[in-house]
Amino acid sequence: MDARRNWFRGSLLLRGLQGLSLWAQDTRTWATAGLLTSWAGQGRGWTARSWLCRGLDGLALGWAVVLFAVAPYVSTGIIGAILAGGTVLWLVMVLTRPLQLTPITLAVLAFWGLTTVAALCSPVLATSAYGWGLVTLYLVGYALLSRVLQTHRDWVVAVYLLTVAIVGVEGLRQWQDGAVALATWVDQESPLKDTTRIYSYLGNPNLLAAYLLPAVSLGAVAVLVWSRWWARVLAAAVTVLAVVCIGLTYSRGGWLALGLMGLVGLALALCQVSARVRAGLVGGAVGIVALAVAFIPGLQVRLASIFVGRDDSSNNFRITVWDTVWQMVQDYFWLGIGPGNRTFETIYPYYQRAGYNALGAYSVPLETWVELGVVGLVVSLWLVVVVWGWAVGVWLTRPSPERWWAAAALLLTVGLMVQGLFDTVWYRPQVQMLWWLGIALINSLTVPKD
């Protein structure tokens, strides 16, 4: 009786989680229908004759290649222009091809809808409208990437990894030759105050760490699934380079994110191997971490600083900003102040404590709460649940290489989420589009097969 009751409770919980994440084995139930297919049906004749429509896939791939190839080197304005160009491409696709409705896209639309409501209810409508426009560009970029990754996944991943290789080599050069300290805040009483923190072309060590995190999971999976030996060697080299450079950023958030990515990746691997191999994997992981902590003094100092609270000046600054933002949350609890960093910079000075100027909340969940309210926070968390639920589902039910790419995307989003708990570099376009790349990768694996 107890076993049966436990099974029932477990199955009930499983069904609840599947329902919350909109999981379904047969994704054809989410296929396009009705108005969603009407555009393609009405325009099938002329779209077949149009050279522009026939070349849309190539143009979309070129857009993705340009986006990820230049992102670390150009200004946010140029990235915005590239995203605007992608919006035009996406609109042409919408008018000539069926829309692809998936559970993840439904959750993304819900997030966009709440962002729209928060912008309309903002006390500073004009600046929130600007933030809303940026969010819209990102989400359209996600939609276009979902299309591109269905047929050109390896190309997009390869371009990103090659760009990471260039960024990483520049980071190593900075470590070797030294670099001017830019946004490299370390407590002046710390023994690491004179340590070089690399930032490569990104200008900020925390931003560099966030930019490199996806390369660890995508590169590791590329080693497993790519067929050409030279491509595997390149992917392995980039993966190692990314891990080393994340270490040299001395970004505590980046280190914590990398560690949790390793734990989640280890958990996924343990589900697929024998008991003997499991013991070896666990022992190896524990040994690597123990050796790193024991023999790398800088790692010891930076990790220890996490637990000293306000005694570390960086911690003290963040905690003070969090306290201030919490006061803003209480005044704009339900729908927030409106989206965008400009909206935050407009409202924050009314609450700011002297000497604690901030461009953001230094925490993505807290930033989401203050911008979109508690309703927007709940919808954002639901989006993450849907994405992770489908990633795990693909991992458990699909063959290789799809399951491996789902694992890579899951680890990518986990890493960026963990670092986002303590920093808001997630909002920078170089990182933001990598976040949506991960979600688009999972979404592309859920599209119904013909």
Side-chain angles (χ1 to χ4, degrees):
M1 180 64 69
D2 290 340
R4 184 176 300 177
R5 185 180 296 110
N6 291 335
W7 174 87
F8 174 76
R9 290 175 179 172
S11 61
L12 188 63
L13 176 61
L14 179 60
R15 289 198 298 271
L17 291 174
Q18 289 176 335
L20 185 63
S21 63
L22 305 180
W23 170 256
Q25 288 283 349
D26 187 1
T27 54
R28 287 175 297 179
T29 57
W30 290 90
T32 54
L35 291 176
L36 298 178
T37 58
S38 62
W39 286 110
Q42 294 172 5
R44 190 169 297 155
W46 69 266
T47 56
R49 296 188 298 272
S50 168
W51 64 267
L52 175 62
C53 294
R54 292 198 304 270
L56 278 179
D57 287 337
L59 289 173
L61 173 61
W63 169 84
V65 167
V66 171
L67 174 65
F68 291 109
V70 306
Y73 319 115
V74 299
S75 66
T76 56
I78 293 177
I79 296 176
I82 296 172
L83 291 175
T87 301
V88 175
L89 275 176
W90 179 78
L91 288 173
V92 174
M93 284 190 169
V94 168
L95 294 173
T96 58
R97 299 182 182 185
L99 288 173
Q100 297 172 330
L101 180 63
T102 68
I104 293 177
T105 298
L106 178 63
V108 170
L109 286 173
F111 171 74
W112 179 80
L114 259 296
T115 302
T116 303
V117 172
L120 292 174
C121 297
S122 171
V124 282
L125 182 59
T127 54
S128 289
Y130 176 82
W132 174 87
L134 291 179
V135 172
T136 302
L137 285 178
Y138 291 141
L139 298 187
V140 172
Y142 148 80
L144 190 54
L145 281 174
S146 293
R147 293 264 188 179
V148 173
L149 292 171
Q150 290 175 37
T151 52
H152 301 295
R153 180 173 54 223
D154 289 352
W155 276 96
V156 176
V157 172
V159 168
Y160 166 61
L161 292 180
L162 286 172
T163 307
V164 166
I166 298 172
V167 171
V169 168
E170 171 62 16
L172 292 182
R173 187 203 64 77
Q174 289 179 344
W175 176 255
Q176 178 68 30
D177 300 337
V180 177
L182 295 177
T184 55
W185 191 348
V186 177
D187 190 274
Q188 291 304 301
E189 296 182 1
S190 168
L192 299 177
K193 64 179 181 179
D194 297 322
T195 299
T196 298
R197 297 183 63 189
I198 67 171
Y199 48 81
S200 190
Y201 299 104
L202 282 301
N204 182 310
N206 294 329
L207 178 58
L208 175 60
Y211 177 79
L212 295 176
L213 284 171
V216 177
S217 62
L218 293 174
V221 166
V223 173
L224 296 174
V225 303
W226 282 353
S227 57
R228 294 179 174 84
W229 68 267
W230 56 267
R232 290 184 172 186
V233 171
L234 175 63
V238 172
T239 303
V240 173
L241 178 63
V243 171
V244 170
C245 287
I246 290 171
L248 296 178
T249 63
Y250 284 84
S251 168
R252 294 173 296 178
W255 289 356
L256 292 174
L258 186 62
L260 193 59
M261 287 173 67
L263 286 176
V264 175
L266 181 63
L268 292 177
L270 293 179
C271 295
Q272 304 295 326
V273 297
S274 64
R276 180 177 298 178
V277 176
R278 289 176 192 168
L281 287 175
V282 173
V286 172
I288 291 173
V289 173
L291 288 173
V293 173
F295 294 102
I296 303 179
L299 182 62
Q300 300 170 11
V301 173
R302 286 293 281 170
L303 290 179
S305 69
I306 296 174
F307 305 101
V308 299
R310 289 185 178 272
D311 289 339
D312 180 270
S313 61
S314 179
N315 294 353
N316 181 60
F317 187 92
R318 279 171 165 76
I319 294 170
T320 302
V321 172
W322 293 342
D323 289 342
T324 305
V325 174
W326 178 244
Q327 296 176 20
M328 297 168 62
V329 166
Q330 291 175 311
D331 288 345
Y332 299 93
F333 186 81
W334 293 104
L335 291 175
I337 62 175
N341 66 298
R342 293 188 180 183
T343 303
F344 182 90
E345 292 171 21
T346 302
I347 303 296
Y348 178 79
Y350 292 103
Y351 296 82
Q352 177 184 335
R353 301 181 189 180
Y356 290 90
N357 183 39
L359 303 178
Y362 286 96
S363 173
V364 170
L366 189 57
E367 184 82 31
T368 302
W369 196 342
V370 76
E371 288 187 5
L372 307 182
V374 68
V375 180
L377 177 64
V378 169
V379 172
S380 301
L381 294 176
W382 177 59
L383 169 61
V384 173
V385 169
V386 173
V387 169
W388 287 355
W390 276 90
V392 173
V394 172
W395 165 257
L396 294 175
T397 61
R398 298 286 181 83
S400 180
E402 289 182 348
R403 61 199 304 271
W404 289 109
W405 287 119
L410 173 62
L411 296 178
L412 182 164
T413 53
V414 166
L416 293 181
M417 280 284 289
V418 171
Q419 185 174 13
L421 294 175
F422 312 103
D423 210 333
T424 46
V425 292
W426 184 83
Y427 289 99
R428 298 289 292 272
Q430 297 90 341
V431 176
Q432 181 77 184
M433 287 314 301
L434 290 173
W435 166 263
W436 290 113
L437 171 67
I439 295 180
L441 179 52
I442 298 171
N443 185 66
S444 70
L445 300 173
T446 71
V447 174
K449 303 296 183 182
D450 297 328

